[in-house]
Amino acid sequence: MEEKKSFLKEKIDLKSPNKNIVPITTSIENDGKLAIGGCSIQELVKKYDSPLYILDEKTLRESCRAYKKALEKYYPGKSLPIYASKANSSIFMSNLVSSEGLGLDAVSEGELLTALKGGVPNEKIVFHGNNKSDKEIEFAVRNNIKVIVDNDYDFERLENLSNSLNRDLEIMIRFTPGIECHTHEYIRTGSFDSKFGFGIEYLNNLFANIRDTKHLKLTGIHAHIGSQIFELDPHHDLGEIMVNVILDAKKFDHNIVELNVGGGLGIKYTESDDPPSIDEWVKTISDSVVKACKKNNLDFPTLMCEPGRSIVSTAGVTIYKIGAFKEIPGIRTYLSVDGGMSDNPRPITYQSNYSACLVNNPLNNNSDNKYTIAGKHCESGDVLFKEIDLAECKTGDLICVFGTGAYNNSMSSNYNRIPRPAALLVCDGDAEIIQKRENPSDLLKYDVLPDRFIKQN
Ligand code: LLP
């Protein structure tokens, strides 16, 4: 039998959770079973059932602190890390990031409302989106939330709104810096061919138009180049490009005091992933902005960044129960679990890879058993792992999939009318519910049978 080292035996980097596959509190209990946040996973499933999303509070807080600390260390001016709530939006997440002093980025009225309910101060929220509705824009303005202008349509409506309210509005603008980076094409946003933001070549026009308005005050610029990025060079280049944009804006009398470089730092999903640390990422950006400001004799703007995945992904795991096995001799053995593409659409959408282990036998992946882990949805592509080594397992055993904190719950669906899992927060041996489990009957809540059909039956 081939000897393989389990990723669970790797040393955990406590300072930059995105460099680990597992939450920083992951341990193996005396009975050899998996625990996170001091809680036995098997006991949690006994109490809360499966599938189950779990978030580890210590990993979350360490990730937030790593951004804050690094910005304080490397950037001499004011700074604000802003959590990109699309990664995992909930009242709990809003509350947690806010308690760590982070701001929050929202892209819909739903995310805005969640942030406000979670206690994020209005002035620390920014509102993004390439097709905001009138209602959303009004909601943001009414709540004194800064809107990031993505296109002319946003610009026109904000101008009209500021005139009709006879009120000055501070705005930021988003532009596409023309930077290519190596990530999945669906999550690459900084190149010229992107639906987001103004083309960089259009900015002088825009600066003139904003100058001609009565009430719009351009205070900040924003760019985001993509997600799950392992290279540092694109963000180094971005800092410099953004400072040049500030200088261009100056020619139109705009005093840009906020520079928002977006998010994008990658995380370690599998052993072959090696992302930079949060410290390295922040240092790269800070150094490049500082150097360009000094060169041009520019006051340091407030430096903002918008991490999503690297705040919440490694803190999250998903627990599934194994059900059916199907062996196709000479081809593969399917092992089906009680969730799948509805709670984690990333494998079917981006061919994403994850790491996993058995909850009752986490260290032993030294078997020759290769499995294909399939979800329970009516779709052949609903496969969470094409091929994974696991110890011998049987129906009823639990599987823990790591790195599912970002873009799993937030992108989940009710495909096949499957209810969403509960989500728990674990810390120091305690587990608390942060999202209740849906029931099939909850899913009927918005169905309406017109009266004449009721009469027919
Ligand atoms: N800021 C803006 C404007 C963004 O569009 C995004 C992500 C972020 C910040 C946060 O990026 P992060 O730090 O998480 O990389 N659903 C995809 C990811 C889509 C990312 C969309 N924008 C996935 O599951 O991989």
Side-chain angles (χ1 to χ4, degrees):
M1 199 192 293
E2 196 194 334
E3 265 296 304
K4 285 189 213 95
K5 208 174 125 228
S6 165
F7 58 87
L8 280 152
K9 284 189 177 154
E10 277 179 16
K11 195 166 174 289
I12 290 181
D13 185 329
L14 296 173
K15 297 224 159 70
S16 196
N18 71 313
K19 287 188 73 67
N20 307 306
I21 291 176
V22 304
I24 61 174
T25 63
T26 304
S27 63
I28 310 297
E29 300 199 300
N30 292 338
D31 58 3
K33 296 176 184 165
L34 185 72
I36 298 174
C39 297
S40 152
I41 300 297
Q42 188 174 289
E43 293 306 312
L44 292 182
V45 172
K46 268 193 203 150
K47 185 158 177 201
Y48 296 100
D49 208 354
S50 66
L52 196 56
Y53 290 129
I54 298 175
L55 281 180
D56 177 48
E57 184 172 341
K58 291 218 161 102
T59 307
L60 283 173
R61 292 198 185 277
E62 271 320 308
S63 309
C64 294
R65 287 171 196 174
Y67 274 100
K68 281 218 81 151
K69 272 190 220 150
L71 280 164
E72 280 157 19
K73 184 157 127 201
Y74 299 116
Y75 193 71
K78 257 175 59 181
S79 58
L80 181 67
I82 293 176
Y83 168 60
S85 71
K86 70 207 79 184
N88 190 328
S89 172
S90 66
I91 292 180
F92 161 74
M93 275 306 296
S94 307
N95 191 279
L96 180 125
V97 296
S98 178
S99 75
E100 291 294 334
L102 272 62
L104 184 143
D105 134 25
V107 298
S108 66
E109 187 175 338
E111 284 185 0
L112 285 171
L113 202 59
T114 309
L116 292 171
K117 283 259 184 249
V120 185
N122 310 42
E123 68 278 9
K124 283 190 170 175
I125 303 175
V126 296
F127 182 40
H128 274 290
N130 65 305
N131 195 21
K132 307 168 182 84
S133 69
D134 294 348
K135 190 165 162 266
E136 287 173 324
I137 289 196
E138 279 162 29
F139 182 87
V141 169
R142 233 184 310 118
N143 284 286
N144 294 317
I145 288 164
K146 192 168 284 185
V147 178
I148 304 206
V149 177
D150 199 90
N151 47 49
D152 284 327
Y153 184 40
D154 278 356
F155 170 66
E156 282 158 24
R157 288 177 297 166
L158 281 165
E159 184 182 10
N160 293 339
L161 198 57
S162 64
N163 288 339
S164 65
L165 296 171
N166 194 21
R167 191 184 125 191
D168 283 354
L169 287 183
E170 291 188 354
I171 55 166
M172 296 181 81
I173 54 161
R174 175 172 183 169
F175 71 98
T176 43
I179 291 177
E180 295 287 346
C181 47
H182 298 120
T183 187
H184 194 285
E185 67 171 310
Y186 294 173
I187 53 181
R188 201 186 294 156
T189 50
S191 57
F192 290 122
D193 183 6
S194 160
K195 70 170 180 170
F196 299 105
F198 292 95
I200 196 164
E201 69 290 350
Y202 183 72
L203 290 184
N204 282 351
N205 252 330
L206 180 65
F207 293 146
N209 292 342
I210 298 175
R211 188 182 51 190
D212 292 343
T213 65
K214 189 160 170 223
H215 290 294
L216 295 187
K217 307 285 165 230
L218 179 61
T219 60
I221 53 170
H222 170 279
H224 169 79
I225 58 178
S227 200
Q228 184 61 358
I229 302 171
F230 287 179
E231 309 152 277
L232 288 168
D233 284 353
H235 280 99
H236 177 271
D237 297 348
L238 180 64
E240 209 174 302
I241 293 174
M242 293 192 84
V243 169
N244 286 332
V245 169
I246 295 187
L247 294 171
D248 286 343
K250 247 184 179 336
K251 296 179 199 146
F252 295 83
D253 303 325
H254 296 299
N255 183 23
I256 306 277
V257 291
E258 290 168 326
L259 188 160
N260 182 335
V261 295
L265 173 61
I267 71 140
K268 187 177 175 88
Y269 284 106
T270 63
E271 281 165 286
S272 59
D273 291 337
D274 187 19
S277 67
I278 293 173
D279 187 87
E280 286 170 302
W281 190 83
V282 170
K283 181 177 187 324
T284 301
I285 286 167
S286 302
D287 286 355
S288 113
V289 173
V290 167
K291 195 170 153 214
C293 284
K294 282 191 174 155
K295 187 172 140 203
N296 294 290
N297 228 345
L298 194 71
D299 289 343
F300 295 122
T302 298
L303 181 58
M304 298 163 150
C305 59
E306 287 172 345
R309 190 189 313 267
S310 53
I311 295 281
V312 62
S313 217
T314 312
V317 301
T318 307
I319 314 299
Y320 301 101
K321 197 174 278 165
I322 300 173
F325 282 78
K326 177 181 176 181
E327 190 182 343
I328 308 175
I331 302 188
R332 64 176 75 246
T333 299
Y334 281 100
L335 163 175
S336 293
V337 294
D338 53 357
M341 62 183 284
S342 61
D343 62 79
N344 184 1
R346 297 191 72 256
I348 199 169
T349 313
Y350 315 114
Q351 301 75 51
S352 313
N353 295 312
Y354 287 86
S355 300
C357 70
L358 290 174
V359 168
N360 293 346
N361 197 357
L363 292 178
N364 184 1
N365 60 356
N366 288 341
S367 79
D368 283 337
N369 300 309
K370 294 205 184 305
Y371 294 104
T372 296
I373 303 186
K376 66 178 270 135
H377 302 81
C378 236
E379 180 129 349
S380 303
D382 178 25
V383 165
L384 294 174
F385 289 80
K386 284 219 169 82
E387 192 176 88
I388 185 168
D389 296 324
L390 287 178
E392 282 284 345
C393 51
K394 57 183 188 314
T395 299
D397 285 351
L398 302 175
I399 291 183
C400 176
V401 179
F402 294 94
T404 60
Y407 303 113
N408 277 229
N409 198 348
S410 62
M411 289 173 66
S412 63
S413 74
N414 290 125
Y415 182 42
N416 294 151
R417 291 249 144 157
I418 291 181
R420 285 185 177 77
L424 296 182
L425 177 72
V426 292
C427 189
D428 290 336
D430 286 329
E432 289 151 295
I433 294 237
I434 52 173
Q435 175 178 292
K436 292 184 205 158
R437 184 177 296 285
E438 283 176 346
N439 292 308
S441 58
D442 294 331
L443 309 183
L444 308 184
K445 219 159 67 185
Y446 295 103
D447 282 14
V448 178
L449 193 60
D451 278 352
R452 63 193 180 89
F453 287 78
I454 298 172
K455 281 179 208 131
Q456 261 176 22
N457 293 340

